[in-house]
Amino acid sequence: MDEHISQAIGRPDLIRLDDGLVCLRFETMKVVSALAAVRHLLDTGTVRRGDTLVDSSSGIYAYALALACHRYGMRCHIVGSTTVDHTLRTQLDVLGAHLEQMPPSTDLKLDQSRRVARVQEILREHPDYHWMRQYHDDVHYLGYEAVAERIQEETGAAALSLVGGVGSGASTGALAHYLGKRSVDVRLVGVQPFGSVTFGSDHVSDPEIIIAGIGSSIPFGNVRHDLYDTVHWLAFDTALAGSVDLLRRHAVFAGLSTGAAYLAARWERGAEPGRTAVFVAADTGHRYVDTVFARHAEAARVEDLAPRPVRGTGELALPWSRMNWKGSPAPAAAVVRPACATPRCASPSPG
């Protein structure tokens, strides 16, 4: 029996959708990394019960960190994006987390820079606070070891294509790392939106909204580019088609990044049928009811969609591109400056 709701929320389900196609479904994935990170910090004496943990977030990590703080008796201070909605604000308030929300902005870089500046101000005012640095501190890898063990045991596959939104790099990078340690033959397939610096698509704009949580306008220290074998870039409309098809065909109600990962996993399974394709569903579809699922009538048939093969990021084009990354180094714009390896200068980013 679980001792806290965070354990249940963080425990994923493995669902076999078809031959060689498996969904790793979370209710809220970042609870896994937040719980393990806070537990490790307590065990090592880096923080103590009652201390304040601070970070920046666009929503999902804020909820995860608030749950971890609730479980372990910590205080939680979040500098939130303008995108944090009423439902989450209310939950954070009741959980006892302190939220500072940035003023409205349509500019993602401006929203991020404001939060960077505010977190640094908070740390100067309160040097005893601990900055979680979810996008830069690899303590957030730890929670995925048990998940990798479950994937191996329940799929029984010796060869896997692991597909998921890159985001911070912690989930897909950690799962590939820990599966490799268990002698599983893993090909890591990253999913990105257009407009993200992480894998060099920042020169291509999506006319619709950027898919939240799987890309970034600033460098993330936790992304290990050398782990990725293949990268898919998908536009909003293509990911929408994936999300709608996943619900219609398999009854899995999940977010927009999951729709993108589902399409990429379908493609990878077809390209290498000898491998089991496991794709990550990071959260549920509730926050996309109006922007995605209410538009189901306009969704394209997934059978009519295919990626454009590219040899370099200069060839990227909407609505879907695929490149054999082959462990290449990070693009220049995605390299974290050496000075930002320290807690006081690494840029906090939305979650």
Side-chain angles (χ1 to χ4, degrees):
M1 181 180 297
D2 293 328
E3 297 177 353
H4 192 270
I5 185 62
S6 57
Q7 295 169 282
I9 291 174
R11 184 182 303 112
D13 304 304
L14 276 163
I15 308 165
R16 189 175 299 280
L17 304 183
D18 206 341
D19 289 341
L21 183 64
V22 175
C23 176
L24 178 66
R25 178 194 175 276
F26 292 86
E27 182 175 341
T28 302
M29 182 181 69
K30 290 193 176 182
V31 172
V32 173
S33 56
L35 283 176
V38 174
R39 180 72 262 169
H40 177 78
L41 293 172
L42 284 166
D43 289 345
T44 57
T46 304
V47 299
R48 295 176 297 178
R49 289 182 182 272
D51 284 356
T52 298
L53 307 182
V54 61
D55 213 341
S56 166
S57 174
S58 63
I60 295 176
Y61 186 77
Y63 179 53
L65 185 59
L67 285 173
C69 287
H70 186 276
R71 181 180 183 191
Y72 291 120
M74 315 292 290
R75 293 184 175 88
C76 181
H77 191 132
I78 297 294
V79 178
S81 168
T82 183
T83 59
V84 175
D85 61 23
H86 174 70
T87 300
L88 180 57
R89 287 197 302 270
T90 304
Q91 284 179 284
L92 293 175
D93 190 28
V94 176
L95 284 168
H98 178 63
L99 171 68
E100 292 186 45
Q101 189 168 8
M102 292 295 101
S105 172
T106 57
D107 187 324
L108 178 60
K109 288 185 179 180
L110 177 61
D111 183 62
Q112 287 180 326
S113 64
R114 283 172 170 170
R115 282 182 282 141
V116 168
R118 180 55 189 147
V119 168
Q120 291 172 340
E121 285 178 0
I122 291 168
L123 291 169
R124 286 193 294 268
E125 295 164 2
H126 302 278
D128 56 318
Y129 284 13
H130 181 82
W131 186 358
M132 291 300 294
R133 301 171 64 239
Q134 61 147 326
Y135 284 88
H136 303 282
D137 191 337
D138 62 8
V139 70
H140 292 91
Y141 275 54
L142 299 176
Y144 294 101
E145 184 169 13
V147 179
E149 181 179 353
R150 279 195 61 196
I151 292 172
Q152 183 195 33
E153 291 177 351
E154 295 191 27
T155 64
L160 292 173
S161 291
L162 179 66
V163 185
V166 177
S168 71
S171 59
T172 50
L175 288 171
H177 170 73
Y178 288 123
L179 283 166
K181 285 183 65 175
R182 299 179 70 85
S183 300
V184 178
D185 177 10
V186 184
R187 288 190 68 256
L188 184 54
V189 181
V191 177
Q192 283 276 278
F194 291 97
S196 170
V197 303
T198 309
F199 283 87
S201 67
D202 44 310
H203 62 290
V204 183
S205 298
D206 190 332
E208 287 272 7
I209 64 172
I210 293 176
I211 304 171
I214 63 172
S216 178
S217 64
I218 60 177
F220 289 165
N222 269 343
V223 179
R224 289 184 50 191
H225 291 77
D226 61 300
L227 292 177
Y228 293 85
D229 298 286
T230 305
V231 179
H232 287 249
W233 294 264
L234 291 96
F236 173 87
D237 288 341
T238 308
L240 180 149
S243 296
V244 170
D245 189 81
L246 182 60
L247 179 57
R248 179 178 290 142
R249 191 186 303 256
H250 300 291
V252 176
F253 183 50
L256 195 60
S257 67
T258 302
Y262 167 64
L263 285 186
R266 281 172 54 95
W267 183 264
E268 294 300 323
R269 180 194 58 170
E272 292 194 74
R275 290 179 173 272
T276 296
V278 177
F279 69 95
V280 178
D283 60 1
T284 66
H286 292 88
R287 64 178 175 149
Y288 296 102
V289 169
D290 294 329
T291 55
V292 174
F293 295 100
R295 298 171 58 179
H296 63 88
E298 62 190 79
R301 283 173 15 103
V302 297
E303 293 83 2
D304 297 333
L305 300 173
R308 165 188 173 140
V310 300
R311 292 171 295 179
T313 55
E315 300 176 7
L316 292 175
L318 301 168
W320 183 3
S321 295
R322 176 186 182 274
M323 176 178 165
N324 289 321
W325 189 260
K326 299 179 180 178
S328 299
V335 176
V336 177
R337 291 179 291 111
C340 282
T342 63
R344 287 293 180 268
C345 72
S347 300
S349 311

